[in-house]
Amino acid sequence: MSLTRDEAWTHLCEWTETEALRRHARAVELVMRAAAVRYGAGEADVEAWGIAGMLHDADYEKWPEDHPNRIVAWLRERGEPAIAHAVSAHYTQWNVPYESALDRALLACDELTGFIGACCLIRPDGIATLAASSVKKRLKDARFAAKVDRAEVRAGADKLGVELDAHIEFVIGALRPHAVELALTGKG
């Protein structure tokens, strides 16, 4: 892998100015690093999977109508075709085939990570005591975090081949140690 995490973060910050989208990128990076150990080849995949999570929405803020084409092209230019493919496949409606565990994991982790972040914002203690049952209850309320596509959350778990409850717990567990950094400590 030629692209370093520091180079990826610098590029993300050049294209992404809002703290909220940078925080989402960092959260998905952390979840994907954990996913590499669980669903990938372990430590050998951690950096690449983390970078995929970090950069998956890097072009969204400046070029939403062209997302994810610009970041995919940038990754390909840097010799990262596997990461580029995963980023190009992180939304099922784009009809890009899921060829690797990385592709499936990014789909499974992206939307759910954002949704769990929203759940934390309304809880007094944030992620500290958040359970899968609370997340699933909120998933049923279409008015809560309405921009989160519930079908993508379910499709991600299905494509990854895991039960939704278990995947929710996995994502919570990956985020919990980083609650302060990611502003997931709640409203209390």
Side-chain angles (χ1 to χ4, degrees):
M1 196 174 131
S2 61
L3 181 61
T4 68
R5 188 212 176 270
D6 287 344
E7 290 168 332
W9 184 257
T10 297
H11 189 70
L12 174 79
C13 292
E14 287 171 4
W15 282 8
T16 305
E17 296 177 7
T18 61
E19 187 60 34
L21 196 51
R22 286 182 184 178
R23 191 170 31 250
H24 174 68
R26 177 69 173 135
V28 179
E29 174 195 3
L30 290 164
V31 172
M32 287 296 293
R33 291 174 74 84
V37 174
R38 177 166 286 187
Y39 306 117
E43 291 300 319
D45 281 344
V46 167
E47 285 302 311
W49 286 40
I51 288 171
M54 177 197 304
L55 293 179
H56 75 282
D57 283 341
D59 58 2
Y60 183 76
E61 191 174 276
K62 286 195 178 201
W63 304 283
E65 71 289 341
D66 202 27
H67 173 63
N69 297 326
R70 291 184 188 233
I71 190 59
V72 168
W74 186 86
L75 286 162
R76 285 188 178 130
E77 288 167 7
R78 274 141 194 86
E80 300 296 347
I83 297 172
H85 188 271
V87 170
S88 72
H90 80 270
Y91 183 56
T92 61
Q93 302 304 308
W94 294 330
N95 296 314
V96 175
Y98 296 90
E99 299 172 348
S100 69
L102 172 58
D103 299 347
R104 292 182 291 277
L106 184 56
L107 172 68
C109 295
D110 172 29
E111 204 77 353
L112 182 57
T113 297
F115 191 81
I116 287 171
C119 291
C120 293
L121 293 176
I122 63 165
R123 297 174 55 84
D125 58 352
I127 202 166
T129 60
L130 183 64
S133 58
S134 295
V135 175
K136 283 190 76 172
K137 180 180 176 183
R138 291 286 176 193
L139 280 169
K140 293 176 185 173
D141 180 357
R143 294 170 296 155
F144 179 77
K147 290 185 179 181
V148 172
D149 188 336
R150 273 67 170 165
E152 290 294 298
V153 171
R154 289 181 196 89
D158 289 346
K159 291 214 180 289
L160 196 55
V162 297
E163 292 294 322
L164 183 57
D165 285 23
H167 189 55
I168 292 169
E169 287 294 347
F170 166 74
V171 173
I172 291 169
L175 293 170
R176 192 171 276 143
H178 309 280
V180 172
E181 173 190 357
L182 299 173
L184 301 176
T185 56
K187 62 180 184 176

